[in-house]
Amino acid sequence: MLAACGGEHVRDTGSWFNGRPARLGAVASGLGLTDAVGWHPADVYGYRAFTSPSAVERYVLRHAGAGRP
């Protein structure tokens, strides 16, 4: 899917898939894509990266849905 979008650059900072690190940087590199996107999301968006799948689940359960912060 990364190559099918027609892009040349992709940057991943710790995605998970099925409870394991997805290693999308290695996948992208194998497809000939580079991670030199020219900017870093943390420079634009204020967020804290989650360190485990359970941290993502806890956050979503607390914050997802209408009327929640």
Side-chain angles (χ1 to χ4, degrees):
M1 182 160 142
L2 294 173
C5 294
E8 298 173 2
H9 311 285
V10 64
R11 180 173 173 93
D12 178 62
T13 56
S15 293
W16 292 73
F17 180 74
N18 284 340
R20 295 182 156 184
R23 303 191 199 312
L24 295 180
V27 173
S29 178
L31 294 172
L33 302 173
T34 175
D35 68 353
V37 296
W39 64 284
H40 192 276
D43 295 338
V44 180
Y45 303 104
Y47 70 95
R48 180 181 56 87
F50 297 111
T51 57
S52 70
S54 61
V56 174
E57 181 180 17
R58 278 192 307 273
Y59 182 86
V60 170
L61 291 174
R62 285 188 197 133
H63 299 283
R68 293 187 180 181

